[in-house]
Amino acid sequence: MPSGEISARDARDLRATSELVVTLVLFGSSFPAFKLATERFGVGTVVGLRFALATATLIVIFRGLPVLEPRMWRRLLLIGAVGLGGQAVTMIAGIDAGSSTLGALVLGLEPIGVAVAAVLVARERPTPSTLAGLGLGLAGVAVVSGLFTSGVSGEGRAVAFLLLTVVLFAAYTVSVRREAARIDAGAVALVTSIGACIVTLPLIALDVAHGRAVQGELDASSVAIVVYIGVGSGIAYFLFAHVLSRLPASRFAVAMYAVPTIGVLASWAVLGERPNARDVVGGAMILGAVWVAEHGRGGRDVAPA
């Protein structure tokens, strides 16, 4: 193969990897930001505002609304409403009905769910290194969640909600991968975000009805945090769709394991929450899982930009 083609492939791989890293950092940093935001706003209000601001950000990035066939609009809106908005609602319900440990453990199944969906729906064939990374990453999530030190407490209803979250996110990821490979990735991100707004904006009305939309006096920092969550999510969704248009969903699935570790580090930096031993051990296992998957990949799965 000519050296020029190798260089072009390497450049595409580097760009895809860079976008993947930024996406993971934006998702991971949202954990401490979300915690700070919910000190002044209701959870439903934060989620609704997140998708509203994310959609506004994507409209600015895309410079308006995409020109698509009505059939494609309906398809993408449905994907966003069910996959993105639906998983946000079920995740809130599951964590509220159970425990944070249970939530962390069950949501650690998301990368597994994405990989399985990629095999069943997209007909992808994960490499042995990807499968090894998925297994090691799940073990790391189990350690970080406290499964081996605190056990798990939670009702069947909580488990059902969280498992539904896994299914919905896996379906959303594989659907975005398929659609972004056929049409502009930015259009996919924008229209699916609008679909998520349709589902999550009513959460703000529910918070208002129950008097919990705003808690205490607002200040500039609280508003700035919510804006960061929304704008950051918009950029992350854009990069998410762009990365998935060129990388196998199974590769992205393994990289998703890094999000909780980034969240722990971000919480340490922003909130002063020092990681404990299980965070360090589990985080090392998760980063090792990403290394195992990437080390055995060989750079052969980046589609042309």
Side-chain angles (χ1 to χ4, degrees):
M1 180 181 292
S3 59
E5 292 184 19
I6 296 176
S7 298
R9 186 191 68 189
D10 290 343
R12 289 195 301 268
D13 184 64
L14 178 60
R15 180 178 176 182
T17 301
S18 300
E19 291 175 346
L20 178 59
V21 169
V22 174
T23 303
L24 298 176
V25 169
L26 287 172
F27 282 146
S29 64
S30 68
F31 287 105
F34 194 87
K35 183 172 182 178
L36 289 172
T38 52
E39 292 178 356
R40 288 289 181 270
F41 299 93
V43 174
T45 300
V46 174
V47 173
L49 289 175
R50 174 188 184 185
F51 285 108
L53 291 171
T55 299
T57 301
L58 286 165
I59 290 174
V60 172
I61 293 175
F62 199 77
R63 298 181 182 179
L65 297 175
V67 178
L68 300 172
E69 296 180 359
R71 177 180 58 84
M72 184 57 67
W73 264 95
R74 291 191 296 270
R75 182 180 180 85
L76 294 177
L77 286 173
L78 181 61
I79 291 172
V82 176
L84 192 57
Q87 67 93 17
V89 173
T90 55
M91 182 168 61
I92 292 172
I95 293 176
D96 182 63
S99 64
S100 58
T101 297
L102 178 64
L105 181 60
V106 176
L107 293 180
L109 294 173
E110 283 190 342
I112 303 290
V114 171
V116 171
V119 172
L120 297 178
V121 179
R123 305 301 182 190
E124 292 183 10
R125 294 185 178 180
T127 64
S129 61
T130 296
L131 295 175
L134 287 168
L136 181 57
L138 182 60
V141 169
V143 172
V144 172
S145 70
L147 174 65
F148 302 117
T149 55
S150 305
V152 174
S153 61
E155 301 177 355
R157 186 164 61 94
V159 174
F161 275 129
L162 291 169
L163 288 177
L164 181 57
T165 300
V166 172
V167 171
L168 291 176
F169 184 77
Y172 171 75
T173 301
V174 173
S175 296
V176 167
R177 157 106 173 125
R178 182 174 57 241
E179 302 302 335
R182 297 189 294 189
I183 63 175
D184 186 86
V188 174
L190 173 52
V191 181
T192 55
S193 184
I194 294 174
C197 276
I198 295 173
V199 173
T200 58
L201 282 178
L203 296 177
I204 300 177
L206 288 176
D207 274 358
V208 171
H210 289 88
R212 57 178 181 236
V214 179
Q215 305 167 21
E217 295 184 3
L218 290 182
D219 51 36
S221 61
S222 299
V223 175
I225 290 168
V226 173
V227 171
Y228 170 78
I229 293 172
V231 173
S233 295
I235 296 172
Y237 293 140
F238 176 80
L239 294 176
F240 178 85
H242 200 249
V243 168
L244 283 175
S245 70
R246 292 180 292 158
L247 298 183
S250 56
R251 178 183 172 189
F252 185 85
V254 178
M256 283 171 53
Y257 277 132
V259 172
T261 302
I262 295 171
V264 169
L265 295 175
S267 296
W268 184 12
V270 176
L271 304 176
E273 298 179 352
R274 298 178 65 86
N276 53 35
R278 77 186 190 200
D279 292 327
V280 175
V281 174
M285 293 173 66
I286 289 169
L287 294 179
V290 177
W291 182 86
V292 167
E294 289 295 297
H295 183 71
R297 182 180 52 82
R300 295 183 298 273
D301 54 14
V302 179

